[in-house]
Amino acid sequence: MNNKIFVTKSFLPDKAKYFSYLENIFDNNLPLTNNANLVITLENTLKNFLQVPYFQYVTNGTIAIQLAIHALGLENCEIITTPFTYVATINSILWEKCTPVFVDIKTDNFTIDPDKIEEKITSKTKAILAVHVFGFACDVHKIQAIADKYSLKVIYDGAHAFTSKYEGKSLLSYGDISTCSFHATKLFHTIEGGAVITSSQELYDKCGLLKQFGHSSDTYYCVGINAKQSEFHAAMGLCNIEYLSEILVKRRDITEIYRAELQNIVEIPEKQENLRLNHGYFPVLFKDEAELLHIFNVLAKENIFPRRYFYPSLNTLLFLSYQPCPISEDIASRIACLPLYPQLAHADVYRICSLIKKELAS
């Protein structure tokens, strides 16, 4: 029986290195949370790595989006967004008592289509929340031009965008606020975790208050929540950042195997101009849903489990009023991400490709 191969597998650092952080905490009775030393160290490390002005490390990527919406004062308004994303993006809008207005996506990189945004703007629209899907870059310049024209705020859900660079700088540096996820399935993780990134000190300070109950010491400024991270999570991040270059190279190499082996077999997104992709995911498009399900069945028999990112198209969720997005609905029905993680053996990558080619090559 073959070992199971899932779409991703969490990377774990050297155990002794991680335990050394924990031993220091135990031996010296150090604080476990409340913005203690390791959290601050990781924030500074990641801020410098990304070369961004302001960086807040928080409990997860969903909370990061909620903090962004709240910090920008977006209440009881419409937020233009994409239907092709994980449900956390939409849940964050709804949780903050706002209304998602869906705009369909581009066919080349699955990001929100900026040419369709203006027709959805109303007097209630206050922001655009776009997603850098699979680490591909949204059309940040067109989106910003629209935002400037209509005095809208721009939030980027960059859960997939860590280390992706667009026009020579971090993809997370665009917009009023960008958010990130460091969930255990991501290419860089802190077990659970997320971040709020901004170029505004005012927004940075506000997010800092919001994430710690709205107060500093005994002075209370506003309503807040608990989005602080622990030293144990930060320790995992400080360990994993040391392996990041190696992780990125291994992911790139696997991606190139897939690209070479599956070219002309399935649809593969083209490389995006001016983007250094992080190779966090390898999405492929099948001819239709029936073909996708057939390949899933073939791979499952070999204990290989890709995943349908993202399915269903969120505009079709039953607890929302339906807003047609035909491109997203079509792509969501036939797209999948193939297994991709640094521990995945090249032999298994070739085996996955061989199984797909055997079924689809004419």
Side-chain angles (χ1 to χ4, degrees), residues 85-106:
T85 179
Y86 184 55
V87 71
T89 311
I90 308 308
N91 283 347
S92 298
I93 294 173
L94 295 169
W95 198 265
E96 293 299 316
K97 309 302 182 187
C98 297
T99 302
V101 175
F102 293 112
V103 168
D104 215 342
I105 62 175
K106 298 168 63 179

PDB file of all heavy atoms in Angstrom, residues 85-106:
ATOM      1  N   THR A  85     -12.377  32.277  -4.092  1.00  0.00           N
ATOM      2  CA  THR A  85     -11.481  32.368  -2.951  1.00  0.00           C
ATOM      3  C   THR A  85     -11.977  31.402  -1.890  1.00  0.00           C
ATOM      4  O   THR A  85     -13.043  30.791  -2.044  1.00  0.00           O
ATOM      5  CB  THR A  85     -11.430  33.802  -2.393  1.00  0.00           C
ATOM      6  OG1 THR A  85     -10.553  33.854  -1.259  1.00  0.00           O
ATOM      7  CG2 THR A  85     -12.812  34.284  -1.963  1.00  0.00           C
ATOM      8  N   TYR A  86     -11.211  31.269  -0.820  1.00  0.00           N
ATOM      9  CA  TYR A  86     -11.680  30.461   0.300  1.00  0.00           C
ATOM     10  C   TYR A  86     -12.774  31.230   1.044  1.00  0.00           C
ATOM     11  O   TYR A  86     -12.787  32.463   1.075  1.00  0.00           O
ATOM     12  CB  TYR A  86     -10.521  30.132   1.240  1.00  0.00           C
ATOM     13  CG  TYR A  86     -10.900  29.224   2.382  1.00  0.00           C
ATOM     14  CD1 TYR A  86     -11.496  27.982   2.144  1.00  0.00           C
ATOM     15  CD2 TYR A  86     -10.691  29.612   3.698  1.00  0.00           C
ATOM     16  CE1 TYR A  86     -11.871  27.156   3.189  1.00  0.00           C
ATOM     17  CE2 TYR A  86     -11.044  28.779   4.757  1.00  0.00           C
ATOM     18  CZ  TYR A  86     -11.639  27.552   4.490  1.00  0.00           C
ATOM     19  OH  TYR A  86     -12.005  26.732   5.534  1.00  0.00           O
ATOM     20  N   VAL A  87     -13.678  30.497   1.671  1.00  0.00           N
ATOM     21  CA  VAL A  87     -14.855  31.107   2.280  1.00  0.00           C
ATOM     22  C   VAL A  87     -14.501  32.091   3.396  1.00  0.00           C
ATOM     23  O   VAL A  87     -15.304  32.974   3.728  1.00  0.00           O
ATOM     24  CB  VAL A  87     -15.808  30.005   2.803  1.00  0.00           C
ATOM     25  CG1 VAL A  87     -15.229  29.301   4.027  1.00  0.00           C
ATOM     26  CG2 VAL A  87     -17.198  30.566   3.088  1.00  0.00           C
ATOM     27  N   ALA A  88     -13.308  31.988   3.977  1.00  0.00           N
ATOM     28  CA  ALA A  88     -12.908  32.916   5.038  1.00  0.00           C
ATOM     29  C   ALA A  88     -12.958  34.368   4.574  1.00  0.00           C
ATOM     30  O   ALA A  88     -13.270  35.264   5.370  1.00  0.00           O
ATOM     31  CB  ALA A  88     -11.504  32.569   5.535  1.00  0.00           C
ATOM     32  N   THR A  89     -12.659  34.607   3.306  1.00  0.00           N
ATOM     33  CA  THR A  89     -12.700  35.973   2.775  1.00  0.00           C
ATOM     34  C   THR A  89     -14.104  36.552   2.902  1.00  0.00           C
ATOM     35  O   THR A  89     -14.293  37.677   3.389  1.00  0.00           O
ATOM     36  CB  THR A  89     -12.266  35.996   1.294  1.00  0.00           C
ATOM     37  OG1 THR A  89     -11.045  35.277   1.141  1.00  0.00           O
ATOM     38  CG2 THR A  89     -12.091  37.421   0.798  1.00  0.00           C
ATOM     39  N   ILE A  90     -15.088  35.775   2.495  1.00  0.00           N
ATOM     40  CA  ILE A  90     -16.473  36.234   2.518  1.00  0.00           C
ATOM     41  C   ILE A  90     -17.016  36.245   3.943  1.00  0.00           C
ATOM     42  O   ILE A  90     -17.743  37.160   4.341  1.00  0.00           O
ATOM     43  CB  ILE A  90     -17.349  35.341   1.617  1.00  0.00           C
ATOM     44  CG1 ILE A  90     -16.735  35.233   0.212  1.00  0.00           C
ATOM     45  CG2 ILE A  90     -18.771  35.873   1.554  1.00  0.00           C
ATOM     46  CD1 ILE A  90     -16.398  36.553  -0.430  1.00  0.00           C
ATOM     47  N   ASN A  91     -16.654  35.225   4.709  1.00  0.00           N
ATOM     48  CA  ASN A  91     -17.104  35.188   6.101  1.00  0.00           C
ATOM     49  C   ASN A  91     -16.653  36.422   6.873  1.00  0.00           C
ATOM     50  O   ASN A  91     -17.381  36.934   7.726  1.00  0.00           O
ATOM     51  CB  ASN A  91     -16.571  33.932   6.795  1.00  0.00           C
ATOM     52  CG  ASN A  91     -17.341  32.687   6.414  1.00  0.00           C
ATOM     53  OD1 ASN A  91     -18.417  32.759   5.823  1.00  0.00           O
ATOM     54  ND2 ASN A  91     -16.790  31.522   6.736  1.00  0.00           N
ATOM     55  N   SER A  92     -15.453  36.893   6.578  1.00  0.00           N
ATOM     56  CA  SER A  92     -14.932  38.076   7.271  1.00  0.00           C
ATOM     57  C   SER A  92     -15.770  39.308   6.956  1.00  0.00           C
ATOM     58  O   SER A  92     -16.056  40.124   7.837  1.00  0.00           O
ATOM     59  CB  SER A  92     -13.471  38.317   6.876  1.00  0.00           C
ATOM     60  OG  SER A  92     -12.659  37.241   7.265  1.00  0.00           O
ATOM     61  N   ILE A  93     -16.184  39.436   5.697  1.00  0.00           N
ATOM     62  CA  ILE A  93     -17.044  40.556   5.302  1.00  0.00           C
ATOM     63  C   ILE A  93     -18.380  40.477   6.036  1.00  0.00           C
ATOM     64  O   ILE A  93     -18.851  41.451   6.618  1.00  0.00           O
ATOM     65  CB  ILE A  93     -17.261  40.550   3.776  1.00  0.00           C
ATOM     66  CG1 ILE A  93     -15.939  40.843   3.046  1.00  0.00           C
ATOM     67  CG2 ILE A  93     -18.340  41.560   3.370  1.00  0.00           C
ATOM     68  CD1 ILE A  93     -16.022  40.690   1.537  1.00  0.00           C
ATOM     69  N   LEU A  94     -18.973  39.302   6.029  1.00  0.00           N
ATOM     70  CA  LEU A  94     -20.272  39.113   6.676  1.00  0.00           C
ATOM     71  C   LEU A  94     -20.168  39.288   8.188  1.00  0.00           C
ATOM     72  O   LEU A  94     -21.056  39.868   8.824  1.00  0.00           O
ATOM     73  CB  LEU A  94     -20.816  37.723   6.339  1.00  0.00           C
ATOM     74  CG  LEU A  94     -21.152  37.475   4.867  1.00  0.00           C
ATOM     75  CD1 LEU A  94     -21.407  35.995   4.624  1.00  0.00           C
ATOM     76  CD2 LEU A  94     -22.356  38.303   4.441  1.00  0.00           C
ATOM     77  N   TRP A  95     -19.079  38.789   8.781  1.00  0.00           N
ATOM     78  CA  TRP A  95     -18.901  38.877  10.231  1.00  0.00           C
ATOM     79  C   TRP A  95     -18.829  40.322  10.688  1.00  0.00           C
ATOM     80  O   TRP A  95     -19.257  40.665  11.789  1.00  0.00           O
ATOM     81  CB  TRP A  95     -17.634  38.122  10.628  1.00  0.00           C
ATOM     82  CG  TRP A  95     -17.575  37.770  12.085  1.00  0.00           C
ATOM     83  CD1 TRP A  95     -16.959  38.466  13.082  1.00  0.00           C
ATOM     84  CD2 TRP A  95     -18.148  36.616  12.708  1.00  0.00           C
ATOM     85  NE1 TRP A  95     -17.101  37.826  14.291  1.00  0.00           N
ATOM     86  CE2 TRP A  95     -17.836  36.683  14.085  1.00  0.00           C
ATOM     87  CE3 TRP A  95     -18.893  35.533  12.238  1.00  0.00           C
ATOM     88  CZ2 TRP A  95     -18.250  35.701  14.991  1.00  0.00           C
ATOM     89  CZ3 TRP A  95     -19.294  34.564  13.142  1.00  0.00           C
ATOM     90  CH2 TRP A  95     -18.970  34.658  14.499  1.00  0.00           C
ATOM     91  N   GLU A  96     -18.275  41.166   9.825  1.00  0.00           N
ATOM     92  CA  GLU A  96     -18.168  42.593  10.141  1.00  0.00           C
ATOM     93  C   GLU A  96     -19.405  43.377   9.700  1.00  0.00           C
ATOM     94  O   GLU A  96     -19.373  44.600   9.592  1.00  0.00           O
ATOM     95  CB  GLU A  96     -16.907  43.174   9.496  1.00  0.00           C
ATOM     96  CG  GLU A  96     -15.607  42.642  10.079  1.00  0.00           C
ATOM     97  CD  GLU A  96     -15.455  42.960  11.553  1.00  0.00           C
ATOM     98  OE1 GLU A  96     -15.753  44.104  11.943  1.00  0.00           O
ATOM     99  OE2 GLU A  96     -15.044  42.064  12.324  1.00  0.00           O
ATOM    100  N   LYS A  97     -20.494  42.651   9.445  1.00  0.00           N
ATOM    101  CA  LYS A  97     -21.799  43.262   9.130  1.00  0.00           C
ATOM    102  C   LYS A  97     -21.785  44.063   7.838  1.00  0.00           C
ATOM    103  O   LYS A  97     -22.497  45.063   7.691  1.00  0.00           O
ATOM    104  CB  LYS A  97     -22.291  44.148  10.288  1.00  0.00           C
ATOM    105  CG  LYS A  97     -22.276  43.487  11.650  1.00  0.00           C
ATOM    106  CD  LYS A  97     -23.130  42.226  11.687  1.00  0.00           C
ATOM    107  CE  LYS A  97     -23.130  41.605  13.073  1.00  0.00           C
ATOM    108  NZ  LYS A  97     -23.828  40.282  13.085  1.00  0.00           N
ATOM    109  N   CYS A  98     -20.975  43.618   6.894  1.00  0.00           N
ATOM    110  CA  CYS A  98     -20.944  44.234   5.571  1.00  0.00           C
ATOM    111  C   CYS A  98     -21.513  43.258   4.543  1.00  0.00           C
ATOM    112  O   CYS A  98     -21.716  42.081   4.830  1.00  0.00           O
ATOM    113  CB  CYS A  98     -19.524  44.641   5.204  1.00  0.00           C
ATOM    114  SG  CYS A  98     -18.815  45.896   6.288  1.00  0.00           S
ATOM    115  N   THR A  99     -21.747  43.748   3.340  1.00  0.00           N
ATOM    116  CA  THR A  99     -22.360  42.945   2.286  1.00  0.00           C
ATOM    117  C   THR A  99     -21.367  42.694   1.164  1.00  0.00           C
ATOM    118  O   THR A  99     -20.841  43.650   0.579  1.00  0.00           O
ATOM    119  CB  THR A  99     -23.593  43.659   1.707  1.00  0.00           C
ATOM    120  OG1 THR A  99     -24.526  43.917   2.761  1.00  0.00           O
ATOM    121  CG2 THR A  99     -24.257  42.821   0.626  1.00  0.00           C
ATOM    122  N   PRO A 100     -21.089  41.425   0.832  1.00  0.00           N
ATOM    123  CA  PRO A 100     -20.192  41.153  -0.297  1.00  0.00           C
ATOM    124  C   PRO A 100     -20.911  41.343  -1.630  1.00  0.00           C
ATOM    125  O   PRO A 100     -22.026  40.852  -1.828  1.00  0.00           O
ATOM    126  CB  PRO A 100     -19.798  39.688  -0.086  1.00  0.00           C
ATOM    127  CG  PRO A 100     -20.943  39.090   0.669  1.00  0.00           C
ATOM    128  CD  PRO A 100     -21.506  40.200   1.525  1.00  0.00           C
ATOM    129  N   VAL A 101     -20.276  42.072  -2.514  1.00  0.00           N
ATOM    130  CA  VAL A 101     -20.780  42.246  -3.878  1.00  0.00           C
ATOM    131  C   VAL A 101     -19.760  41.592  -4.804  1.00  0.00           C
ATOM    132  O   VAL A 101     -18.597  42.014  -4.861  1.00  0.00           O
ATOM    133  CB  VAL A 101     -20.965  43.736  -4.227  1.00  0.00           C
ATOM    134  CG1 VAL A 101     -21.374  43.892  -5.685  1.00  0.00           C
ATOM    135  CG2 VAL A 101     -22.001  44.373  -3.305  1.00  0.00           C
ATOM    136  N   PHE A 102     -20.199  40.553  -5.506  1.00  0.00           N
ATOM    137  CA  PHE A 102     -19.257  39.748  -6.270  1.00  0.00           C
ATOM    138  C   PHE A 102     -19.002  40.307  -7.661  1.00  0.00           C
ATOM    139  O   PHE A 102     -19.923  40.714  -8.369  1.00  0.00           O
ATOM    140  CB  PHE A 102     -19.772  38.312  -6.394  1.00  0.00           C
ATOM    141  CG  PHE A 102     -19.794  37.574  -5.081  1.00  0.00           C
ATOM    142  CD1 PHE A 102     -21.000  37.219  -4.490  1.00  0.00           C
ATOM    143  CD2 PHE A 102     -18.614  37.246  -4.438  1.00  0.00           C
ATOM    144  CE1 PHE A 102     -21.018  36.540  -3.289  1.00  0.00           C
ATOM    145  CE2 PHE A 102     -18.617  36.571  -3.230  1.00  0.00           C
ATOM    146  CZ  PHE A 102     -19.822  36.215  -2.654  1.00  0.00           C
ATOM    147  N   VAL A 103     -17.732  40.294  -8.033  1.00  0.00           N
ATOM    148  CA  VAL A 103     -17.293  40.642  -9.382  1.00  0.00           C
ATOM    149  C   VAL A 103     -16.575  39.423  -9.944  1.00  0.00           C
ATOM    150  O   VAL A 103     -15.741  38.807  -9.258  1.00  0.00           O
ATOM    151  CB  VAL A 103     -16.361  41.870  -9.368  1.00  0.00           C
ATOM    152  CG1 VAL A 103     -15.668  42.048 -10.708  1.00  0.00           C
ATOM    153  CG2 VAL A 103     -17.153  43.127  -9.004  1.00  0.00           C
ATOM    154  N   ASP A 104     -16.881  39.076 -11.162  1.00  0.00           N
ATOM    155  CA  ASP A 104     -16.314  37.871 -11.773  1.00  0.00           C
ATOM    156  C   ASP A 104     -14.802  37.992 -11.961  1.00  0.00           C
ATOM    157  O   ASP A 104     -14.212  39.063 -11.756  1.00  0.00           O
ATOM    158  CB  ASP A 104     -17.000  37.575 -13.102  1.00  0.00           C
ATOM    159  CG  ASP A 104     -17.150  36.084 -13.380  1.00  0.00           C
ATOM    160  OD1 ASP A 104     -16.445  35.284 -12.736  1.00  0.00           O
ATOM    161  OD2 ASP A 104     -17.972  35.719 -14.242  1.00  0.00           O
ATOM    162  N   ILE A 105     -14.175  36.896 -12.339  1.00  0.00           N
ATOM    163  CA  ILE A 105     -12.714  36.806 -12.350  1.00  0.00           C
ATOM    164  C   ILE A 105     -12.148  36.741 -13.753  1.00  0.00           C
ATOM    165  O   ILE A 105     -12.856  36.512 -14.731  1.00  0.00           O
ATOM    166  CB  ILE A 105     -12.249  35.573 -11.539  1.00  0.00           C
ATOM    167  CG1 ILE A 105     -12.792  34.283 -12.166  1.00  0.00           C
ATOM    168  CG2 ILE A 105     -12.713  35.713 -10.101  1.00  0.00           C
ATOM    169  CD1 ILE A 105     -12.280  33.014 -11.506  1.00  0.00           C
ATOM    170  N   LYS A 106     -10.846  36.934 -13.822  1.00  0.00           N
ATOM    171  CA  LYS A 106     -10.120  36.809 -15.076  1.00  0.00           C
ATOM    172  C   LYS A 106      -9.816  35.334 -15.340  1.00  0.00           C
ATOM    173  O   LYS A 106      -9.629  34.550 -14.397  1.00  0.00           O
ATOM    174  CB  LYS A 106      -8.816  37.599 -14.997  1.00  0.00           C
ATOM    175  CG  LYS A 106      -9.019  39.095 -14.789  1.00  0.00           C
ATOM    176  CD  LYS A 106      -7.717  39.791 -14.419  1.00  0.00           C
ATOM    177  CE  LYS A 106      -6.687  39.708 -15.523  1.00  0.00           C
ATOM    178  NZ  LYS A 106      -5.435  40.412 -15.143  1.00  0.00           N
TER     179      LYS A 106
END
